[in-house]
Amino acid sequence: MEAPAPSPGHGAGRPLASGPEPCTVRSPVVLQVGDPKTDLARPGVAVIDVALPPAQPLDLQEIVFKNSYTAFLTVRVQRRHPCDVRRDSAKKWATCLRNHCLMPSPHTENGSQDYFSLTRQQMLCEVDQVTAVRLILRQPSPIWLHFTLEELQLYPRGQKSPQRDFPSWLAHLAPQRLPANLQGGIPDPEKVSAEVQQLWVLTEMIHANQTAARIGRFDVDGCYDINLLSYT
Amino acid sequence: MMPDQDTGLSLAIAQIVQRLKGSSFHSQLERQARISLHKPEIKLESLKEDIKEFLKTSGWEKKLQNAVYSELNVFPSPCHPAASPEHMKEPLVYMRKAQGSWEKRILKSLNSMCTELSIPLAQKRPIGGQKELLNKWNEMGTDEPDLSLFRPVYAPKDFLEVLMNLRNPNYENGDQPSFRNHLGLIQVPLKVKDIPELRDYFSELGLNIGQLGIDDSTQVPPELFENEHVRIGQTVLTERDSAAAQQYVRQGCPTALRAELWALILNISNQPEDILYYEQLKSNVIHHDLLVDSLIYKDVKLTASNDDYYFVFEDYLYQVLLCFSRDTSVLEHFSYNSANPPKSYIRGKLGVEEYAVFYPPNGVIPFHGFSMYVAPLCFLYHEPSKLYQIFREMYVRFFFRLHSISSHPSGIVSLCLLFETLLQTHLPQLFYHLREIGAQPLRISFKWMVRAFSGYLATDQLLLLWDRILGYNSLEILAVLAASVFAFRAVNLMEVTSLAAAEAVLADLSTLKVMPLLQIFLFATVT
């Protein structure tokens, strides 16, 4: 038996080129007071810088990553001022997410290896024309040896992050319509025909979607003779 | 964690729709809708609404609600779309690895048993054997095959050793004892509920709320609580609402209503096609002879047949467990269970993927004590097919968590940690004393929890406990009860000086009343 199908790779079946924005994720730099070799205290803060191609600033839609023992996350973005493109001083840093909680109880495992999405709706400021992203990771608990973020991906605006794997009709569930009051007049034939057609489409869809019923067979061509278990 | 609530909801809906589509319930619903087209009150111009109305009034809407509710209870809410299927089974990588190597040990042990005894794992039963088995289907217990060479693949004790050695590689596990080491046996830092959280979670068990198992004792006049509670129970049953039934059983099930209420919560209706399915499983048992059958025989003989309460159900247990081992629908639960079903190949086709099969067909290898998950249910259901379905549902909702390594709050690792943490905070002196004399409390309570107390408590008490498991859709109550038992026997335990003596103090739990113990421990102890 297979687990529910994993989402297909990003952009599967989509006409537009989509998927995460190419970017360079630098390895985390830990901030530590004192000598890292002799000082026994573990660092509680690390910084990951993400560099974007300088030529094309990014309108950020979503940040997706797998956590690895980071408790709180702050995200800062460097934005280019749209009206003043040429000067470097026009690039300004802004905090778009402050101490976002990834592990509700930092001494325990909750959320420690979960996947997270941060969307632009969650951000404190506009995240358009972004030229660089800086992630500030915090882990107040000293019990973890390392903390970082993995599989970090930035998605540009206008593109959905990995596949939402549900039929499109679910995305726009029709609001409940009141049944038309039909007393005193035959319904408009056009409308009836449209509704019948809709019904027909619905039945076709159901037929197309028929999943294999459980047949409960475990033998192969009537044979289930087995000697030993396989280790792979 | 989902990107936003709306998307999360749509995903959850899509997941449920997808699963229900493959079910027989879906085809039944479709058939009803089709039949309704012949009814005069269904008009073409308002077809959709009329059919909806019909399904509502004919009770099918309620059935749909129950089916959806059941899906919500069983399946975890959809993971982040970027997460792999393995991540959905168990989010922590080191837990998955530990489960993997534990499985490998089980496979090796099973394989070496096959080799030693030169018995294949599975073979077709000869025609003569098929007839014989069919004839004695209802009295399999009278058979006394020689099983002296078979041994249980593992016992709870072996499993505890594995859990004790579980470590998070990213956790400071220094050789020197430090404040980071846990004083108990479990060393992984999972989040477990503390007493205030438990009080909140189990609020219906509070001192001011009527409880079966307390307020139905002979000293309490039934007008105060029991009569009214039974009346409500009957209303819940007439309404046929799973969610209401689940809420209701938190205060306990009246004995006469229990079987129906549990079936309602588990959404088991024993339809003709379910009976047919059961018969099909039975014929699969007749046709194929599996090595796990001998393990099941052995287990029933070693456990339930020796039990004062359960020995009468011996024949039922064989029927249910043998059919269970052939049931491929059980494989579905591996999408949310950290375990993986063992794989094999049809003889002579080693490595050919088209001939790859799971073994046993349901993917579950029984261990010592497995039959005790079925035994208490025999008190409630006499029809084998219904008994079977209830057990299967209980297994895929709850019992599998008691023998797979996972970080789930109802998983055995969390239960062990919850037990140890509760005991340490509640009774630090007792915990320290037992630890000092080499009687780590978990060594005693582990077997209780792995078997969900089946075979340890008196049956009426056990069923009152399982009421709460169903009511809260959680196994955490097992750990709370284990800690309450220690608290109850604390005075005697403080006097013992060895593990054996501590075990002796706690050997007989059959006189305990679970609800008062739980209530006192959770709500009437000053911490």
Side-chain angles (χ1 to χ4, degrees):
Chain A
M1 183 55 49
E2 280 190 354
S7 27
H10 1 273
R14 246 180 233 119
L16 288 167
S18 70
E21 188 73 7
C23 56
T24 322
V25 181
R26 306 236 162 79
S27 33
V29 178
V30 293
L31 302 189
Q32 189 155 28
V33 183
D35 186 350
K37 280 188 188 124
T38 53
D39 206 350
L40 286 173
R42 230 179 269 293
V45 183
V47 175
I48 295 178
D49 272 329
V50 183
L52 292 158
Q56 4 163 296
L58 167 72
D59 292 353
L60 193 60
Q61 172 65 34
E62 191 172 354
I63 305 175
V64 178
F65 57 88
K66 179 175 189 262
N67 189 20
S68 174
Y69 296 92
T70 300
F72 302 98
L73 176 67
T74 296
V75 180
R76 304 199 74 201
V77 289
Q78 189 188 42
R79 291 177 299 180
R80 189 157 65 174
H81 213 274
C83 49
D84 200 356
V85 244
R86 270 166 300 165
R87 288 206 338 258
D88 253 13
S89 57
K91 292 179 178 175
K92 287 240 165 65
W93 283 99
T95 303
C96 58
L97 198 68
R98 201 183 299 276
N99 281 336
H100 181 72
C101 179
L102 306 178
M103 291 171 71
S105 136
H107 292 305
T108 64
E109 296 274 10
N110 276 9
S112 62
Q113 299 188 21
D114 281 358
Y115 283 84
F116 289 87
S117 278
L118 304 169
T119 54
R120 60 185 291 128
Q121 288 81 8
Q122 284 168 274
M123 307 291 181
L124 298 169
C125 62
E126 287 290 311
V127 281
D128 292 332
Q129 296 286 304
V130 172
T131 50
V133 180
R134 172 166 288 177
L135 303 153
I136 301 161
L137 290 52
R138 286 173 215 273
Q139 179 46 273
S141 171
I143 62 172
W144 312 112
L145 298 175
H146 308 284
F147 60 94
T148 181
L149 300 180
E150 293 164 0
E151 302 173 30
L152 185 68
Q153 290 179 324
L154 307 181
Y155 287 88
R157 195 171 187 182
Q159 278 161 26
K160 283 248 166 179
S161 74
Q163 53 337 113
R164 305 269 175 260
D165 224 0
F166 54 83
S168 54
W169 55 267
L170 247 174
H172 41 85
L173 284 174
Q176 214 165 20
R177 270 178 302 168
L178 292 169
N181 187 357
L182 296 156
Q183 284 166 346
I186 21 168
D188 177 11
E190 288 285 329
K191 198 166 153 258
V192 173
S193 120
E195 280 182 357
V196 171
Q197 269 187 37
Q198 200 187 355
L199 191 76
W200 176 77
V201 172
L202 213 65
T203 20
E204 283 305 298
M205 238 163 63
I206 286 166
H207 280 291
N209 274 325
Q210 211 98 54
T211 30
R214 281 178 229 149
I215 39 170
R217 292 283 290 271
F218 53 83
D219 52 329
V220 181
D221 307 331
C223 179
Y224 192 69
D225 290 357
I226 302 169
N227 280 343
L228 291 172
L229 293 171
S230 152
Y231 291 133
T232 49
Chain B
M1 190 148 294
M2 292 313 305
D4 57 75
Q5 262 192 330
D6 285 349
T7 325
L9 187 63
S10 305
L11 265 176
I13 295 173
Q15 198 181 46
I16 291 170
V17 170
Q18 192 65 38
R19 274 199 306 264
L20 287 181
K21 257 183 196 162
S23 67
S24 62
F25 174 78
H26 180 261
S27 44
Q28 282 174 19
L29 196 64
E30 208 185 35
R31 226 182 59 209
Q32 287 302 321
R34 239 181 239 153
I35 291 171
S36 76
L37 293 177
H38 302 296
K39 291 187 183 290
E41 64 264 30
I42 308 282
K43 296 192 180 59
L44 188 60
E45 52 272 22
S46 52
L47 191 64
K48 212 167 155 187
E49 295 309 316
D50 285 354
I51 290 181
K52 270 193 205 162
E53 188 56 36
F54 164 77
L55 292 176
K56 193 177 279 183
T57 48
S58 58
W60 281 89
E61 194 193 32
K62 190 69 110 205
K63 285 184 192 170
L64 178 61
Q65 271 174 18
N66 288 346
V68 170
Y69 191 68
S70 163
E71 292 287 328
L72 284 173
N73 262 327
V74 177
F75 287 87
S77 44
C79 264
H80 191 281
S84 62
E86 284 77 40
H87 190 269
M88 188 167 154
K89 286 159 80 73
E90 166 55 48
L92 302 181
V93 176
Y94 70 94
M95 288 267 181
R96 292 208 295 267
K97 280 194 183 147
Q99 173 65 31
S101 49
W102 168 237
E103 279 163 16
K104 207 155 256 180
R105 266 180 65 185
I106 298 174
L107 299 191
K108 279 186 184 154
S109 150
L110 207 58
N111 271 351
S112 64
M113 199 177 342
C114 284
T115 323
E116 275 168 40
L117 306 176
S118 359
I119 302 175
L121 283 173
Q123 59 190 337
K124 200 158 189 89
R125 212 184 287 278
I127 301 292
Q130 290 187 13
K131 272 193 185 140
E132 200 187 331
L133 183 60
L134 195 59
N135 287 333
K136 61 166 196 217
W137 181 257
N138 288 319
E139 45 195 44
M140 281 188 271
T142 54
D143 215 19
E144 294 281 343
D146 178 27
L147 296 170
S148 52
L149 292 171
F150 289 93
R151 49 175 199 274
V153 181
Y154 67 94
K157 233 185 18 239
D158 312 311
F159 190 45
L160 177 58
E161 294 298 320
V162 175
L163 301 189
M164 280 163 51
N165 290 315
L166 204 56
R167 294 287 183 281
N168 179 342
N170 193 32
Y171 187 75
E172 174 104 276
N173 293 300
D175 293 331
Q176 279 89 36
S178 75
F179 73 95
R180 294 189 180 106
N181 293 113
H182 294 208
L183 291 171
L185 296 176
I186 300 296
Q187 295 293 331
V188 287
L190 297 177
K191 169 84 181 89
V192 291
K193 295 191 174 76
D194 58 17
I195 289 275
E197 283 167 323
L198 287 170
R199 278 183 192 157
D200 194 42
Y201 188 71
F202 292 115
S203 59
E204 288 88 351
L205 305 185
L207 298 171
N208 306 325
I209 294 171
Q211 287 304 318
L212 289 186
I214 297 174
D215 301 294
D216 52 340
S217 73
T218 42
Q219 296 96 312
V220 183
E223 304 84 68
L224 283 182
F225 168 68
E226 204 183 347
N227 290 352
E228 177 66 3
H229 191 61
V230 172
R231 203 187 55 73
I232 298 173
Q234 281 154 346
T235 318
V236 169
L237 279 180
T238 5
E239 284 296 316
R240 311 277 334 141
D241 187 320
S242 297
Q246 189 167 37
Q247 180 64 35
Y248 174 81
V249 302
R250 292 180 176 189
Q251 287 169 269
C253 277
T255 312
L257 307 180
R258 183 173 280 123
E260 282 314 297
L261 282 166
W262 284 20
L264 183 55
I265 296 170
L266 299 169
N267 201 29
I268 298 295
S269 49
N270 203 25
Q271 300 286 311
E273 59 265 31
D274 300 321
I275 299 170
L276 212 65
Y277 187 74
Y278 177 76
E279 289 300 319
Q280 193 193 341
L281 294 176
K282 184 174 154 185
S283 85
N284 284 334
V285 177
I286 306 283
H287 288 128
H288 300 276
D289 184 14
L290 307 190
L291 176 105
V292 288
D293 297 355
S294 303
L295 297 175
I296 291 168
Y297 263 109
K298 180 99 181 184
D299 186 49
V300 173
K301 293 276 182 217
L302 285 176
T303 56
S305 303
N306 285 329
D307 190 288
D308 291 348
Y309 297 108
Y310 301 128
F311 72 97
V312 285
F313 300 124
E314 195 180 342
D315 295 324
Y316 273 157
L317 295 179
Y318 292 131
Q319 292 172 22
V320 166
L321 289 167
L322 293 179
C323 286
F324 182 65
S325 69
R326 267 73 165 179
D327 192 345
T328 51
S329 74
V330 178
L331 291 170
E332 250 173 80
H333 92 287
F334 287 105
S335 66
Y336 52 92
N337 176 357
S338 62
N340 286 300
K343 239 177 83 177
S344 185
Y345 294 93
I346 300 291
R347 189 185 301 158
K349 305 284 183 186
L350 189 70
V352 188
E353 274 314 304
E354 297 85 76
Y355 291 89
V357 288
F358 291 120
Y359 182 88
N362 71 346
V364 181
I365 293 176
F367 59 93
H368 184 61
F370 194 84
S371 43
M372 296 308 278
Y373 292 143
V374 192
L377 301 173
C378 298
F379 275 103
L380 300 179
Y381 305 96
H382 304 298
E383 197 184 332
S385 72
K386 187 153 192 190
L387 169 64
Y388 175 74
Q389 290 169 63
I390 297 280
F391 164 66
R392 183 183 60 193
E393 195 61 25
M394 289 286 279
Y395 184 83
V396 300
R397 284 197 191 197
F398 303 112
F399 298 143
F400 76 89
R401 297 206 186 275
L402 297 173
H403 45 264
S404 0
I405 303 173
S406 87
S407 60
H408 192 276
S410 278
I412 189 68
V413 187
S414 299
L415 298 188
C416 291
L417 191 62
L418 177 59
F419 163 77
E420 291 190 322
T421 316
L422 284 177
L423 209 55
Q424 258 185 79
T425 25
H426 238 297
L427 299 153
Q429 282 179 326
L430 176 66
F431 192 90
Y432 182 76
H433 171 69
L434 291 173
R435 190 176 177 269
E436 285 303 293
I437 61 165
Q440 273 279 3
L442 186 60
R443 289 208 183 272
I444 300 169
S445 64
F446 187 70
K447 52 184 182 298
W448 303 340
M449 293 192 287
V450 169
R451 284 194 193 172
F453 280 92
S454 173
Y456 295 102
L457 296 172
T459 41
D460 61 328
Q461 298 300 308
L462 184 81
L463 295 173
L464 286 168
L465 178 68
W466 285 17
D467 279 344
R468 275 72 184 185
I469 292 180
L470 282 159
Y472 290 97
N473 198 34
S474 153
L475 292 165
E476 283 154 298
I477 197 87
L478 298 176
V480 181
L481 180 63
S484 333
V485 171
F486 273 75
F488 185 60
R489 297 267 192 247
V491 177
N492 307 67
L493 287 170
M494 282 305 282
E495 286 166 15
V496 300
T497 52
S498 69
L499 174 62
E503 273 175 339
V505 168
L506 296 165
D508 183 13
L509 309 186
S510 65
T511 54
L512 298 181
K513 300 272 178 251
V514 296
M515 293 322 295
L517 282 188
L518 285 168
Q519 228 179 29
I520 291 168
F521 187 85
L522 281 175
F523 296 98
T525 312
V526 183
T527 43

